[in-house]
């Protein structure tokens, strides 16, 4: 598995993080090992997504990341830069239009950060709910129009 050594090229950092996160998801882990008990403590179920995001810490440094699970309450983001527990950060969900979401770091591991969302406005809440809904339902039809295409595990 690629290491998370920081390089000066942000594209290389993003590629390394994405490779680690994809390997993590392929193993069937939706949370890093040892944290599976947290799923029982969550108010909202999380859905598998692959969403590019940008994390901005209190230091103003912006880092590319890849969100791989999402709920209305928070997300896991594979990111090279680590922040300590309790750090308030901003997350840009790279959608059209871009959505800015306040979040707090609830845990960090080499694979990335567990984030809890702060107060969300109507626009942000609707965008996240739409993403969660889309992730939990199969696609409607294949390009040929014959059979529904089902979302499967990697």
């Amino acid at each position: 598995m690629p290491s998370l050594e920081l390089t000066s090229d942000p594209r290389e950092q993003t590629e390394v993080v994405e490779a680690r996160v994809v390997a993590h998801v392929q193993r069937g882990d939706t949370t890093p090992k040892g944290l599976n008990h947290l799923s029982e403590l969550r108010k909202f179920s999380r859905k598998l997504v692959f969403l590019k995001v940008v994390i901005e810490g209190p230091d103003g440094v912006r880092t590319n990341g890849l969100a791989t699970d999402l709920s209305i309450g928070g997300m896991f983001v594979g990111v090279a830069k680590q922040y300590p527990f309790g750090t308030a950060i901003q997350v840009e969900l790279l959608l059209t239009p871009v959505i800015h979401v306040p979040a707090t770091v609830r845990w960090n591991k080499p694979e990335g950060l567990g984030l809890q969302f702060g107060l969300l406005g109507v626009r942000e809440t609707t965008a996240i709910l739409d993403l969660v809904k889309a992730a939990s339902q199969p696609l409607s039809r294949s390009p040929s129009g014959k059979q529904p295409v089902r979302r499967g595990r990697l």
Side-chain angles (χ1 to χ4, degrees):
M1 187 174 297
S3 70
L4 277 179
E5 294 176 21
L6 295 179
T7 68
S8 59
D9 185 355
R11 288 179 304 221
E12 285 181 30
Q13 289 177 16
T14 300
E15 289 171 9
V16 169
V17 169
E18 286 178 2
R20 288 200 61 148
V21 169
V22 168
H24 177 73
V25 171
Q26 286 174 333
R27 286 192 311 266
D29 299 333
T30 54
T31 59
K33 292 182 192 250
L35 295 177
N36 290 332
H37 67 283
L38 290 179
S39 64
E40 295 163 9
L41 301 175
R42 291 189 174 120
K43 292 181 183 179
F44 307 102
S45 65
R46 293 189 175 208
K47 302 298 180 186
L48 179 66
V49 297
F50 290 98
L51 176 64
K52 291 190 179 205
V53 299
V54 176
I55 303 289
E56 184 174 343
D59 54 4
V61 174
R62 295 170 52 86
T63 307
N64 294 326
L66 181 68
T68 56
D69 70 52
L70 175 70
S71 79
I72 193 62
M75 65 174 33
F76 169 79
V77 177
V79 65
K81 184 161 176 61
Q82 296 291 300
Y83 291 98
F85 173 82
T87 302
I89 61 172
Q90 288 293 315
V91 181
E92 277 185 20
L93 306 178
L94 299 181
L95 303 168
T96 305
V98 171
I99 303 293
H100 297 270
V101 179
T104 303
V105 176
R106 291 298 171 209
W107 52 263
N108 57 45
K109 295 287 179 187
E111 295 89 0
L113 303 172
L115 304 177
Q116 179 182 12
F117 295 141
L119 294 175
L120 303 175
V122 172
R123 182 173 162 234
E124 294 83 5
T125 302
T126 302
I128 292 169
L129 285 173
D130 287 347
L131 284 169
V132 169
K133 249 189 253 184
S136 65
Q137 297 174 355
L139 298 174
S140 58
R141 292 262 172 216
S142 68
S144 67
K146 293 182 182 175
Q147 271 185 319
V149 176
R150 303 259 180 216
R151 255 185 231 279
R153 293 188 81 131
L154 293 174

